[in-house]
Amino acid sequence: MGFAAPISRARANQAAMSPPVTDVRASAAARIPVRTPPSGDEMLQIIRTLPDVVFRCYKGEDGKIYWDLNEGKLAEEFHLTTKEVQGKPLEALFPPDTVARLMPEFEAAFRGEAREFTNELFGRYFKHYPQPVFDANGRVKYVVGFISEVTSLERAQQQLSAANKELESFAYTVSHDLRTPLTVIDTYAQVLRLQQADALGPDGRAALERVQNATRRMAQLIDDLLRLSRATRGDLKREPVDLTALATAVAADLKLRNAARQVEFQAQPGMTAVADARLVRVVMENLLSNAWKYTSHHPYARIEVGIREVHGRPAYFVKDDGAGFDMRDADRLFRPFTRLHPTAQFEGTGIGLATVQRIVERHGGEIWGEGAPEKGATFTFTL
Amino acid sequence: MTKVLIVDDDPDVVSGTATLLRLKGFDVATCVDARQVTGMVKAEHPDVMLQDYRMPGLDVPELVAGLRRDRESARTRIVIFSASWDLEEARERAGADDAIGKPFDLADLVRVLERNAKPAR
């Protein structure tokens, strides 16, 4: 198939931003005088002008952590400049809860680990990046780093997470409250069908059946919407997942529900991934039930799940020989509520692939589709 | 005849479901008032109760625990009847025997009620 895997967005941007390479060094050297790098004092001046803190600390003979450099606007504001902190160990400089937060991070840095963490002090948030510097023997000589204030970012994140929680509970309430009137409609449609079948006549019964079908579609839509909103939230719990077993189980379930269909299903043995098992199941269910659905107008169908390599990473694919799609529509496949086929031909809510894409992207992966009308479709994803 | 008590705060859901179950030959009692649920179970001795999971003024896990403690109501099987998305989670939280979603297919509802009406205990 004439299809190339997408270039990652970052790489595409990089390529677009890089200027054409021409050697300008010779002419530039003639015009721009080379200056000597700043001296120690000038360097200190530069650091003191920055809004952050640049520091260096070392382990004293008593095993405690001391600073011999702590400069920048933030250090000034907190009266923690080099002059003010010299000779005082970490535990003498901060309130006890801050000491408890900083100590394990700095101890880890002195063991040779580069750290990155945020701590709260007086209602403000600071991001620390302590980095070990090693001597010729590979021992940590001292720890250097910088500190930036991230209060507004932290606040925004807290608000975002509160808003997400609210949205989650809103989604649950809405789904519950939408389903209740739907239950009433469906229940009374069933009452009519059972009690008034004769009075309704064939036209009335057909009308009733449409009411019930629409009810079921709406119930499905509510379910799908909630699944989509769930796919983007909650913790991602990565664990080894047996994709072959998962695909086989999902396919067995589909076969059971469509016993009359002639579908040859094949899953490549030994496929595994490190991913969130619950979410990957949603991916497999969506892709396989799509494959089942879009081959339903054929007397015989073949569906295959396999693994191949794309840019050195394992990529999993679900391939069918069904209705397919026009590659000109490929970018619309993953848009929520967008459907390439009319409902009369293939039922659906247009949320499945949007959900799949969100799950794949949450895993840091990519998904793309290849196909041709009536030549089948292949969906490939990385995790 | 299997006796079913339907508990739900939506009177339309209750009466529609009751009509369907009567047509299917069940003996049906109904309750739309959270305060009367326990009294109804003790008075009616249903084989199965179909209990809405989210009912204003009713803590369902507490209700289930209370009914289980009382000898008069302990043998009634409790089926969660819920429009919640995560049905199994609702059943587990309530400590109920079974669950069925709303909207429901009548054949499914009958199957769930029957398998609870003739438990192996």
Side-chain angles (χ1 to χ4, degrees):
Chain A
M1 238 172 280
F3 176 83
I7 305 172
S8 80
R9 217 169 292 153
R11 216 183 308 155
N13 287 344
Q14 214 175 33
M17 283 185 313
S18 305
V21 180
T22 42
D23 197 349
V24 293
R25 274 172 299 178
S27 59
R31 279 183 276 113
I32 302 167
V34 177
R35 297 180 55 155
T36 48
S39 68
D41 278 351
E42 280 175 317
M43 197 78 101
L44 210 53
Q45 280 274 297
I46 293 168
I47 293 172
R48 283 182 180 142
T49 317
L50 298 176
D52 312 293
V53 174
V54 173
F55 67 81
R56 185 172 82 167
C57 54
Y58 60 97
K59 275 264 171 100
E61 278 171 13
D62 55 1
K64 291 181 173 173
I65 298 167
Y66 294 92
W67 274 260
D68 58 5
L69 173 74
N70 205 56
E71 295 295 339
K73 286 271 158 62
L74 260 182
E76 227 170 89
E77 189 191 337
F78 279 87
H79 300 290
L80 292 168
T81 57
T82 312
K83 240 189 259 168
E84 289 157 308
V85 300
Q86 261 171 344
K88 291 177 195 154
L90 190 152
E91 49 268 51
L93 292 169
F94 300 102
D97 55 333
T98 304
V99 172
R101 178 80 184 93
L102 299 182
M103 198 61 102
E105 298 287 350
F106 276 88
E107 288 294 353
F110 275 103
R111 282 195 305 271
E113 287 174 43
R115 308 293 292 183
E116 185 184 322
F117 68 97
T118 305
N119 84 305
E120 191 198 336
L121 188 63
F122 308 128
R124 292 163 65 180
Y125 293 87
F126 302 95
K127 189 134 202 183
H128 298 242
Y129 300 89
Q131 314 288 317
V133 176
F134 301 94
D135 65 14
N137 300 319
R139 278 190 295 256
V140 177
K141 262 203 292 193
Y142 39 70
V143 168
V144 301
F146 72 95
I147 304 168
S148 284
E149 175 156 18
V150 290
T151 303
S152 53
L153 183 68
E154 191 70 27
R155 294 254 159 83
Q157 264 165 358
Q158 285 170 0
Q159 278 164 359
L160 187 66
S161 119
N164 270 339
K165 256 188 209 143
E166 209 169 286
L167 197 65
E168 168 105 341
S169 89
F170 175 74
Y172 273 93
T173 309
V174 166
S175 98
H176 181 271
D177 293 358
L178 285 177
R179 279 158 159 272
T180 303
L182 216 51
T183 305
V184 177
I185 297 170
D186 188 58
T187 306
Y188 279 95
Q190 294 192 64
V191 169
L192 278 178
R193 208 182 51 194
L194 282 177
Q195 247 181 352
Q196 313 288 334
D198 292 341
L200 283 168
D203 286 354
R205 285 196 295 270
L208 203 57
E209 202 176 313
R210 284 172 191 230
V211 171
Q212 285 194 280
N213 282 343
T215 313
R216 245 161 250 144
R217 256 203 346 254
M218 179 134 175
Q220 186 63 49
L221 185 64
I222 295 168
D223 274 1
D224 288 354
L225 269 176
L226 218 71
R227 201 164 286 134
L228 173 68
S229 90
R230 274 201 151 188
T232 47
R233 280 193 306 280
D235 293 332
L236 202 69
K237 280 182 230 120
R238 278 187 188 263
E239 56 186 315
V241 180
D242 183 342
L243 282 180
T244 304
L246 176 61
T248 309
V250 172
D253 191 41
L254 284 163
K255 248 183 198 162
L256 206 67
R257 275 188 278 155
N258 307 277
R261 295 267 320 270
Q262 289 269 346
V263 178
E264 185 197 334
F265 173 77
Q266 203 174 22
Q268 194 173 320
M271 287 186 293
T272 56
V274 178
D276 186 298
R278 186 178 62 89
L279 292 178
V280 169
R281 188 178 186 95
V282 175
V283 169
M284 226 17 122
E285 279 171 354
N286 268 299
L287 293 179
L288 280 176
S289 68
N290 274 354
W292 235 265
K293 177 162 64 183
Y294 292 107
T295 51
S296 61
H297 58 309
H298 291 175
Y300 175 85
R302 193 168 185 287
I303 295 170
E304 187 189 343
V305 180
I307 186 169
R308 62 194 180 94
E309 207 181 281
V310 176
H311 296 316
R313 289 175 73 182
Y316 312 92
F317 64 85
V318 176
K319 186 177 176 181
D320 68 58
D321 57 359
F325 57 90
D326 192 323
M327 276 310 275
R328 278 175 296 187
D329 294 325
D331 61 327
R332 291 168 58 217
L333 287 167
F334 301 100
R335 246 181 258 166
F337 302 111
T338 306
R339 305 205 61 232
L340 301 183
H341 301 273
T343 305
Q345 201 181 350
F346 298 104
E347 276 208 359
T349 55
I351 303 177
L353 282 179
T355 306
V356 167
Q357 187 185 40
R358 288 207 190 176
I359 291 173
V360 166
E361 284 180 351
R362 279 203 66 190
H363 283 83
E366 280 179 292
I367 181 162
W368 60 94
E370 303 157 74
E374 283 308 318
K375 295 247 166 70
T378 303
F379 286 88
T380 309
F381 62 96
T382 57
L383 287 170
Chain B
M1 196 190 283
T2 300
K3 185 160 190 176
V4 180
L5 172 65
I6 305 170
V7 184
D8 197 304
D9 63 312
D10 189 315
D12 289 334
V13 170
V14 169
S15 74
T17 309
T19 307
L20 287 176
L21 289 179
R22 284 188 188 116
L23 285 170
K24 286 288 173 188
F26 287 86
D27 180 8
V28 182
T30 64
C31 177
V32 292
D33 186 344
R35 290 163 302 179
Q36 291 176 7
V37 181
T38 307
M40 285 284 284
V41 178
K42 287 181 189 173
E44 300 281 341
H45 296 291
D47 299 294
V48 188
M49 73 189 279
L50 208 49
Q51 173 66 54
D52 184 18
Y53 185 67
R54 274 174 47 161
M55 210 168 151
L58 191 70
D59 182 319
V60 174
E62 207 172 277
L63 170 82
V64 171
L67 290 174
R68 292 267 158 82
R69 270 197 304 273
D70 197 317
R71 281 181 65 183
E72 263 187 284
S73 54
R75 58 165 287 282
T76 294
R77 300 275 286 190
I78 301 163
V79 176
I80 292 299
F81 189 38
S82 172
S84 284
W85 185 68
D86 208 333
L87 202 58
E88 182 49 28
E89 197 183 307
R91 186 202 66 75
E92 231 180 83
R93 245 190 263 164
D97 298 295
D98 215 330
I100 181 149
K102 284 188 274 192
F104 58 86
D105 182 76
L106 183 56
D108 289 339
L109 178 60
V110 168
R111 198 176 322 120
V112 168
L113 291 175
E114 273 171 357
R115 77 171 168 229
N116 282 284
K118 311 174 216 143
R121 60 171 170 167

